[in-house]
Amino acid sequence: MEGVIGTTLYYKGFSFSAHLRYSLGGDVFNEALYTKVENISEDNLKYNQDKRALYDRWEKPGQHARFKGISLTETTQMSSRFVQRSNFLKGESFSAGYDFPKEWIEKAGFSALRLQVNMNDVFRISSVKEERGIEYPFARMVSASVSVTF
C-alpha cells in the first residue's frame, strides 16, 4: 500500500502545506547489502565499504551472523536473504507562503505580491537502510520565491 497524505491551511494571508508519502508492505532487493557487504570486491575492501561489512559479519566459529566474513571473497548468489520488507514515511514536501494585503502592495504599483518557501524530501523514516552515500543521506531541497504581479 502506498499513498500521500496532505493538507493546506490558509490564515490571514499565510499559507502552509505539508505532504507525507508512505509505503507499507513492499519488498525491495537491497543492492548495497548484496554488493558492498556480502560480495564486496577485493578492490573495494579498502575504499568503498558499507559499515555493515565490518560490524554485522561473521568473525569466529560458531557465531550466528547475518553476513559472511569480510575476508571471504567468493561470490554469494542472489537470494531472498537480500530482499527486505520496505515500510517508509517521508516528508515529501512542505511549503509556507505569505500573500501581502492588497492595500499595502497597491501603493507600490503591484496587483499581487507573494513570498514562498518550499522544502522537498525533508525527512525519511524507513525500515530499510539504503546506501545513499556517506551516512545514507537523501537529497534535500529548499527553495524560495518572490512572485510579483503588475
Side-chain angles (χ1 to χ4, degrees):
M1 180 169 60
E2 185 171 332
V4 175
I5 298 171
T7 189
T8 302
L9 304 170
Y10 296 98
Y11 181 73
K12 294 186 178 184
F14 289 95
S15 63
F16 176 77
S17 69
H19 294 87
L20 305 173
R21 180 171 296 275
Y22 66 89
S23 177
L24 301 169
D27 291 330
V28 295
F29 180 80
N30 193 331
E31 188 158 344
L33 292 180
Y34 182 71
T35 60
K36 295 193 176 182
V37 176
E38 188 78 7
N39 285 309
I40 193 165
S41 69
E42 287 188 45
D43 293 336
N44 286 332
L45 277 173
K46 297 176 191 164
Y47 305 111
N48 198 12
Q49 294 181 33
D50 185 293
K51 65 183 176 181
R52 293 171 283 190
L54 294 173
Y55 302 115
D56 297 341
R57 65 183 173 86
W58 179 85
E59 295 181 73
K60 56 187 175 223
Q63 176 186 3
H64 293 281
R66 186 152 182 214
F67 306 108
K68 68 184 181 186
I70 201 165
S71 61
L72 305 173
T73 57
E74 64 275 353
T75 302
T76 299
Q77 298 301 311
M78 284 187 185
S79 74
S80 61
R81 190 162 63 101
F82 304 105
V83 175
Q84 296 180 309
R85 179 69 58 182
S86 176
N87 300 307
F88 68 80
L89 175 67
K90 72 178 188 175
E92 188 163 81
S93 67
F94 294 89
S95 67
Y98 181 69
D99 290 303
F100 286 87
K102 285 224 181 256
E103 56 272 4
W104 292 8
I105 58 171
E106 286 176 344
K107 292 177 186 174
F110 306 142
S111 60
L113 176 61
R114 177 170 180 75
L115 300 177
Q116 178 105 13
V117 175
N118 300 301
M119 298 179 287
N120 293 325
D121 292 329
V122 177
F123 68 86
R124 181 179 178 96
I125 302 166
S126 178
S127 61
V128 175
K129 272 199 160 189
E130 297 176 81
E131 185 175 84
R132 304 288 293 249
I134 297 173
E135 299 296 326
Y136 307 103
F138 286 82
R140 292 172 177 86
M141 183 181 80
V142 176
S143 62
S145 64
V146 177
S147 301
V148 179
T149 304
F150 296 95

